[in-house]
Amino acid sequence: PKKELIRPIEILRSLRNLVYPELNELEDSIFRKESSKNYSYTYGARIFNYANKKNQVQEYIIPLLKKEPETKQAIIVLYQPLFDSNLTDNAKPCLICIFFRIIKGKLNLTATIRSNEMLLGWPANIYQLSLLQKRIANEIGVEEGTITTISHSAHIYTNYDEELEEVLRKI
């Protein structure tokens, strides 16, 4: 990934009163096909083993983009209504879907994020999305293009005011 994607994570990791995941942990959580015992869900399990049945990247996205590079149907869905539409469970994925489109020979990615904590969540999300984009672009033989995120609720929790001020000083 480009240096500018890693820099916010480096800054967050440098904060003395915050434990932020290592790059390899972020990579593992986006590519791991199994659920994690540390998290109620992981994006990797939903992407590469959707509902314990479908590897959305290998079985759909890559073959589709190879067969039809102009397609507008290359979408990964992470929200699972059978599990996530439960009123008593608040562990809902924030990253809802990822759309891929090849434009002028480059793989562009658009992610829809339901709830996006911008200080801690977004740097990890954009880094993970860039890794996924790179992997798919390499597999289909195109360059990486843009990454766009659409956040329906972008926010920073007020209990991180000190960390936010420190991050802003370091930028």
Side-chain angles (χ1 to χ4, degrees):
K2 298 175 182 110
K3 181 69 175 160
E4 58 268 18
L5 294 178
I6 297 172
R7 181 74 181 128
I9 295 168
E10 290 172 341
I11 293 171
L12 290 166
R13 290 202 40 75
S14 74
L15 302 181
R16 60 189 168 278
N17 56 343
L18 185 67
V19 177
Y20 202 78
E22 299 270 354
L23 292 176
N24 62 347
E25 183 180 347
L26 294 172
E27 183 174 347
D28 184 62
S29 70
I30 193 73
F31 290 124
R32 178 187 288 264
K33 295 176 178 128
E34 302 83 28
S35 297
S36 168
K37 53 186 169 224
N38 298 332
Y39 304 103
S40 56
Y41 66 86
T42 60
Y43 294 138
R46 287 171 180 249
I47 293 168
F48 294 97
N49 192 18
Y50 185 86
N52 293 317
K53 293 182 183 194
K54 182 94 171 167
N55 181 327
Q56 296 184 80
V57 171
Q58 295 299 326
E59 296 174 29
Y60 181 63
I61 297 296
I62 290 171
L64 177 62
L65 291 171
K66 282 182 175 181
K67 181 181 174 191
E68 298 178 43
E70 303 290 320
T71 189
K72 297 179 226 49
Q73 298 177 8
I75 188 167
I76 289 174
V77 177
L78 290 92
Y79 191 85
Q80 297 180 15
L82 292 176
F83 303 105
D84 298 324
S85 295
N86 180 338
L87 296 177
T88 60
D89 183 8
N90 286 330
K92 315 270 189 259
C94 295
L95 179 59
I96 299 299
C97 66
I98 308 167
F99 175 69
F100 298 91
R101 180 109 190 262
I102 298 173
I103 301 173
K104 295 183 181 177
K106 294 184 178 183
L107 182 66
N108 297 293
L109 180 155
T110 301
T112 302
I113 304 172
R114 173 188 59 76
S115 179
N116 200 344
E117 201 289 323
M118 300 305 288
L119 178 65
L120 303 178
W122 192 83
N125 291 154
I126 198 74
Y127 175 71
Q128 292 170 320
L129 291 169
S130 74
L131 295 172
L132 183 62
Q133 179 190 41
K134 182 177 183 155
R135 179 177 285 187
I136 294 170
N138 286 342
E139 288 243 8
I140 62 175
V142 299
E143 293 181 44
E144 299 159 58
T146 62
I147 296 177
T148 303
T149 59
I150 299 167
S151 303
H152 291 280
S153 175
H155 55 274
I156 296 174
Y157 294 114
T158 55
N159 58 319
Y160 291 111
D161 285 346
E162 286 179 35
E163 291 83 357
L164 176 60
E165 287 180 28
E166 193 169 344
V167 166
L168 292 173
R169 280 194 301 273
K170 292 183 176 192
I171 293 178

